[in-house]
Amino acid sequence: MKFSKATNYALHTMLILVAFAPDKPVGVQQLAERQGVSSTYLSKILTKLVKAGLIESASGASGGYRLKAKKEDISFLDVIHAIEGTASLFHCGLHDDTECAIQSVMISAEEAMEQQLRSKKIFELAQEITLSK
């Protein structure tokens, strides 16, 4: 199983915002430089995070992006769903999905993974990082 590069950048962006700037806006250029990605590409990812209600944009000279959701509530799954969507990772491909025994195993595994990602908060990781410095 593999998540997209966009999800990787989204998770890192959220970690940066939660750990280092939960209340103040951070410019897209600064976020992009920190991750070694183009600001144009990161802007598209940030737009998805805004639409999901996780962050908001602030305009003006000191504008940028800041958290909208409460930092303690943002889970890994929230960020993944914002970028990847919520569709199942597995589709049986048989004509009658109700007869697909494989799909029930895959859905069960996916639900377990989602529960783990739902329970792990970005804030918890941010605390671990800042405490280790």
Side-chain angles (χ1 to χ4, degrees):
M1 176 179 339
K2 184 175 181 180
F3 290 111
S4 68
K5 286 183 181 180
T7 295
N8 181 22
Y9 292 126
L11 287 166
H12 280 89
T13 296
M14 293 302 293
L15 182 61
I16 291 166
L17 292 176
V18 168
F20 304 110
D23 300 323
K24 64 179 185 172
V26 180
V28 65
Q29 189 64 39
Q30 184 180 358
L31 291 167
E33 286 173 4
R34 192 153 186 178
Q35 297 181 68
V37 65
S38 81
S39 58
T40 304
Y41 180 62
L42 190 59
S43 290
K44 293 175 185 176
I45 295 167
L46 292 168
T47 298
K48 289 183 177 185
L49 295 172
V50 168
K51 285 182 182 177
L54 298 175
I55 62 173
E56 61 186 359
S57 61
S59 55
S62 60
Y65 293 89
R66 64 178 168 231
L67 296 179
K68 181 176 183 181
K70 189 176 175 185
K71 66 182 178 181
E72 294 86 0
D73 294 340
I74 302 168
S75 73
F76 277 68
L77 187 63
D78 293 330
V79 179
I80 292 167
H81 278 172
I83 305 301
E84 303 284 344
T86 58
S88 179
L89 298 173
F90 181 79
H91 176 71
C92 190
L94 296 178
H95 297 292
D96 187 5
D97 285 344
T98 60
E99 297 295 320
C100 185
I102 293 170
Q103 184 153 348
S104 66
V105 172
M106 298 301 286
I107 287 173
S108 178
E110 187 175 339
E111 287 171 354
M113 178 187 70
E114 285 191 358
Q115 179 55 40
Q116 174 66 25
L117 293 170
R118 184 179 295 111
S119 69
K120 185 66 176 174
K121 307 297 183 188
I122 302 286
F123 180 71
E124 294 168 349
L125 183 59
Q127 283 184 311
E128 291 173 21
I129 290 170
T130 55
L131 290 175
S132 68
K133 287 189 176 189

